[in-house]
Amino acid sequence: MGDRRVVEDAFEEWANGEGHVSRLFAEDMTWEIAGRSAVSGRYASAADFVAGVLEPFAWRFPADHPFRPVRIRSVLEDAGTVVVVWDGAGTTVAGTPYENTYAWILRMRDGRIVDGLAFFDGSAFDELWFGVPPRNAGGG
């Protein structure tokens, strides 16, 4: 199965509430968030990215109704790199909507993401990050 299909399958599972794209992260993955949002910068490992961004982001949504992809606009593959442009949405623990469009550039190795670069609307993200207190940071 090609890298494009692996990524498409992971996004489909995530959209259906049957998993998360993070299952594709290589442990030694690096991830960069472009721009000037609260979480912009480079993360040195999958664990750093999950702890610094994905978990606190998830805590801003109800556990039983997490943020998910709602539309995949495009998935392209070239020379070991998969580009996914997608829309995500969810209702926060504060009852407010959050929607954003993302472009992820994923360098792949053996069906795993080894390097990611993400672009999104940083203003919308920061409104969520600073405007919605996370539910119990222990995840519950």
Side-chain angles (χ1 to χ4, degrees), residues 80-140:
T81 299
V82 177
V83 178
V84 184
V85 180
W86 58 283
D87 298 329
T91 300
T92 70
V93 294
T96 56
Y98 172 74
E99 298 175 350
N100 212 329
T101 298
Y102 296 81
W104 285 5
I105 302 169
L106 310 171
R107 194 165 48 86
M108 307 292 290
R109 181 183 66 226
D110 300 324
R112 298 278 184 205
I113 299 167
V114 294
D115 187 58
L117 173 60
F119 296 89
F120 54 81
D121 180 343
S123 295
F125 182 91
D126 284 356
E127 287 175 14
L128 168 78
W129 198 257
F130 296 115
V132 177
R135 60 181 157 81
N136 178 353

Side-chain angles (χ1 to χ4, degrees), residues 53-64:
V53 180
L54 294 186
E55 285 179 343
F57 179 83
W59 295 335
R60 288 166 166 81
F61 298 88
D64 61 347

Side-chain angles (χ1 to χ4, degrees), residues 30-44 49 53 115-118 120:
T30 58
W31 193 275
E32 181 179 353
I33 298 174
R36 299 185 311 181
S37 76
V39 295
S40 291
R42 190 151 184 84
Y43 297 84
F49 179 56
V53 180
D115 187 58
L117 173 60
F120 54 81

